[in-house]
């Protein structure tokens, strides 16, 4: 599979697997290991986590599977996130939902992730959400400490708008290597408000969360969902693609920003559809047909 | 007439003539030549085109007139645009409306413009609209090729917001020399959202399209149009100007960003009004009176 | 009291006193002097003015008080503003409300302020509002002249959005040292739209005007005001603070951007509450509780 160079010494598979619903799938460690190995066979080597996924349990489930075959660690890249505090049975000390990007919290969260994932290092650690109370000097110090100790190789952000990105980066000794963004035909915000443009300006490939738009295209009956579903179906027919999700991945993969879609499914067929989308080449005209179907009007 | 230095080796007349409705005027080549010569006599040497104007016919009409007196070519500056694809009898291969800023499309479009305008070079080529599917590396390569081959002297954009401008420029070997924007008392968007500020920050003079606001001030009966019309009339009386359009041009010309209004009229009187506006000096207080009349409220 | 380094040779008291309602208080010069001395005893040495406050009278009232004890001048820092034109009995030549940031107006306004304040120098002069008609070259020249003549030590802006800030600064020989912004739990705009982020990126401490949100939290009965009042009360109880205004100041002071709240009250108790807020330390969780109470929803 195509690989994307994230930094001098780190590359990701173009398609990334996302584990945010792992806890919902009720997989045994053996089944999770099978899922990981299926991904590897498909060429997917990059796995996306966050401390809070599954109420702080998904990293642990993944780590248990990984410990069944520790040799896999060097064949994969692990991404995780920190900075959100959620009430949870697993974190009885958390009494409300807020953000914490203090030095102490980032270090504690990274250490928890390392332990849960049963690994010595995280390939990429992201600040999960832009924090209006962020002390960028503390974030910079936390990143430096984790990097110096060999615990985290690279750092990035998620859901940052341009002003937040530029501000944080101005305090760091090294560039942020990605911005993980909601990017899908259903949600054009980051395509249109300059967030994706900054990724291109900074030459950093974005990761796309919720690339299928949370499934609304498949289930909702509102005008926009129906219109977009029909357009995706039509374009799929032109390309010889029967599956709507594959058309959506093709649409994201065609964009010159080198978007890396995160497939958040536990089903092999769904994962395969994302990988297979790499074999199709959507035209500029088709790309705009889908864009305009989502916008509900033509470009000016 | 005052001239604006666009680049080291290129200057524009402060007032620019726009040909986007040339095809509507049903002028013979001789009549178009007369219009061009009228402009030159008034001091207007810069002419604004786009490939798509008049459904891809305006450039050709202008070129036919120019071929009646080829010696005029070196006395004028030609601006044109590319990047929009429109269905048209003249382009049967176009089946829908979208943007295309690929290397191939930019080169094809520029070559078509050169042929239609019957000229060896374009003084300034603009990307017509910000393209959410833009590959900035391809745009940069296309610009470099056209520049190296002597076909286009300078490059700019139109309707770009700041994030799109900064992103594209970061890929180019030379600065963008203008941003052609909708700027008028009726449409303050680019005055207020930072787009004009970036022109000032970059020291590039903007071109103003639709400076009269598409004529709504003259014809519409809505509250804003009536209010603005009354204010323009009042300020005109104070300045000794009878024509509303002349007051509007004075308002644009007074702004320190060195706005170059594009007059899109085929009528000599209208063109003359724009040129004559250079003889009037609107005060700061009057400038704000018109601004606030458009906003419908005072500044804070 | 904690001091904030504004520039190499200038520091402000963390809490600033604001004189915009001085004229309303109907204080005698002696009473105003007492107020100034009360502030100094509390550690407040920085006083915020604008030419237009009290319809151009507040600076004069302050200057009269200062002239009763001229030795105070070197113990305080004076901030004032220019750029707004207001009709006023004190300025009969002003016939309407607009902005003027021309070279002549800035110099005239600064000279008027020096005379009214009965001082030889202003520590910090701000452009009061972003001026859509601003000629940045004239502002730069005015700043240079005032600086060269020793009349103004440092320059900044107020209410500027990022594009206006970057544009103006690109014309100056020295950095802008602050952006005075509306910042309060009631008004989160500058916390969320990137304006505060730019202060952090530029390493400049913002001044906060209307830190109590114009008092709406105390008097209004709308849902947001009631909700915010209840949350501030609750957090106050947790911290052992009985006064809502003190909780608000603590919230602002806790932010890592080094916000300097401007206390606009003539009442000693109110001023003391702001100063005393420096003794309390709001937690990250409490900070978000207040933020979310203002937003009316949780962070994502």
């Amino acid at each position: 599979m195509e690989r994307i160079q994230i930094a001098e010494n780190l590359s990701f598979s173009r398609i990334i697997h996302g584990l945010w619903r792992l806890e919902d799938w009720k997989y045994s460690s053996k089944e999770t290991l099978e899922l990981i190995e299926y991904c590897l066979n498909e060429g997917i080597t990059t796995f996306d986590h966050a401390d809070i996924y599954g109420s702080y349990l998904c990293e642990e489930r993944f780590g248990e599977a990984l410990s069944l075959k520790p040799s896999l660690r060097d064949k994969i890249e692990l991404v995780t996130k920190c900075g959100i505090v959620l009430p949870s049975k697993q974190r009885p000390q958390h009494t409300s939902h807020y953000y914490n990007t203090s030095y102490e919290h980032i270090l504690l969260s990274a250490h928890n992730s390392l332990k849960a994932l049963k690994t010595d290092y995280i390939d990429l650690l992201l600040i999960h959400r832009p924090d209006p109370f962020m002390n960028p000097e503390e974030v910079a110090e936390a990143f430096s400490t984790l990097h110096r100790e060999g615990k985290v190789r690279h750092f990035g952000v998620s859901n940052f708008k341009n002003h937040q990105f530029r501000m944080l980066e101005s305090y760091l000794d090294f560039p942020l290597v990605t911005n993980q963004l909601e990017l899908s035909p259903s949600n054009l915000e980051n395509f249109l408000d300059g967030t994706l443009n900054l990724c291109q300006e900074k030459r950093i490939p974005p990761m796309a969360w919720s690339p299928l738009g949370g499934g609304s295209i498949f289930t909702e009956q509102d005008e926009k969902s129906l219109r977009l579903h029909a357009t995706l179906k039509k374009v799929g027919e032109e390309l010889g693609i029967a599956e709507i999700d594959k058309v959506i991945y093709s649409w994201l993969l065609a964009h010159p920003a080198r978007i890396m879609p995160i497939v958040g499914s536990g089903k092999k067929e769904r994962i395969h559809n994302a990988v297979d989308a790499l074999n199709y080449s959507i035209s500029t005209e088709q790309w705009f047909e889908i864009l305009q179907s989502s916008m509900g009007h033509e470009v000016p």
Side-chain angles (χ1 to χ4, degrees), chain A:
Chain A
M1 181 186 297
E2 182 191 348
R3 294 190 68 80
I4 299 288
Q5 205 68 30
I6 294 292
E8 215 181 313
N9 56 356
L10 182 66
S11 72
F12 280 2
S13 54
R14 182 71 192 264
I15 305 293
I16 292 170
H17 191 270
L19 281 306
W20 75 286
R21 286 187 296 198
L22 174 57
E23 182 63 9
D24 301 342
W25 302 332
K26 308 289 175 199
Y27 285 177
S28 68
S29 294
K30 198 157 158 276
E31 286 168 324
T32 302
L33 180 62
E34 270 174 38
L35 179 71
I36 297 170
E37 294 196 303
Y38 177 79
C39 285
L40 287 172
N41 282 334
E42 289 277 327
I44 297 175
T45 62
T46 308
F47 295 88
D48 183 66
H49 290 269
D51 58 339
I52 59 168
Y53 289 168
S55 193
Y56 298 93
L57 285 174
C58 288
E59 288 181 322
E60 204 168 319
R61 295 289 171 262
F62 190 90
E64 285 158 6
L66 201 58
S67 71
L68 298 180
K69 200 169 176 182
S71 66
L72 287 185
R73 179 62 190 94
D74 292 342
K75 298 191 173 76
I76 65 176
E77 300 82 41
L78 291 178
V79 182
T80 193
K81 314 185 189 78
C82 65
I84 300 179
V85 174
L86 280 185
S88 160
K89 273 190 208 163
Q90 280 67 241
R91 298 284 188 278
Q93 69 276 31
H94 294 176
T95 52
S96 71
H97 171 200
Y98 61 101
Y99 298 159
N100 190 336
T101 54
S102 67
Y103 179 83
E104 288 75 18
H105 183 81
I106 292 174
L107 257 71
L108 178 65
S109 184
H111 290 160
N112 284 338
S113 291
L114 286 164
K115 194 178 156 194
L117 290 164
K118 301 199 194 314
T119 182
D120 292 333
Y121 65 97
I122 293 160
D123 293 280
L124 175 59
L125 179 67
L126 310 178
I127 301 292
H128 206 148
R129 293 268 176 192
D131 174 3
F133 195 54
M134 178 184 286
N135 184 333
E137 293 180 355
E138 289 204 26
V139 176
E141 205 187 329
F143 282 4
S144 289
T145 301
L146 289 167
H147 188 256
R148 195 174 51 242
E149 294 177 351
K151 286 170 182 163
V152 179
R153 297 203 166 164
H154 294 281
F155 299 88
V157 293
S158 186
N159 306 300
F160 272 46
K161 294 298 171 190
N162 293 2
H163 44 89
Q164 297 146 345
F165 192 101
R166 290 185 197 277
M167 189 275 277
L168 177 56
E169 203 173 60
S170 79
Y171 283 85
L172 303 179
D173 292 330
F174 31 71
L176 295 163
V177 301
T178 194
N179 194 358
Q180 185 175 123
L181 299 168
E182 184 171 7
L183 294 166
S184 81
S186 315
N187 188 330
L188 301 175
E189 181 183 312
N190 291 308
F191 284 95
L192 301 179
D193 74 357
T195 309
L196 195 58
N197 287 133
L198 187 64
C199 293
Q200 294 179 280
E201 187 181 327
K202 294 272 181 187
R203 275 73 168 164
I204 58 170
M207 300 167 76
W209 64 266
S210 215
L212 305 180
S216 63
I217 297 168
F218 304 94
T219 57
E220 297 300 319
Q221 298 295 311
D222 62 290
E223 203 184 329
K224 179 184 163 185
S225 297
L226 292 172
R227 187 176 62 228
L228 198 43
H229 192 277
T231 305
L232 291 163
K233 196 156 172 289
K234 173 183 168 291
V235 170
E237 280 162 13
E238 291 166 9
L239 292 166
I241 303 178
E243 305 88 348
I244 297 293
D245 57 346
K246 205 183 285 185
V247 181
I248 294 174
Y249 288 120
S250 296
W251 187 83
L252 289 167
L253 292 165
H255 195 280
R258 296 177 297 152
I259 294 165
M260 298 178 289
I262 301 171
V263 189
S265 175
K267 291 181 187 156
K268 292 177 184 178
E269 192 195 328
R270 291 285 191 184
I271 297 169
H272 180 73
N273 281 347
V275 175
D276 194 43
L278 285 162
N279 296 316
Y280 294 87
S281 193
I282 216 164
S283 75
T284 301
E285 189 169 359
Q286 289 165 331
W287 197 89
F288 273 92
E289 207 173 337
I290 292 168
L291 179 89
Q292 297 183 116
S293 173
S294 174
M295 298 197 302
H297 58 80
E298 290 198 9
V299 291

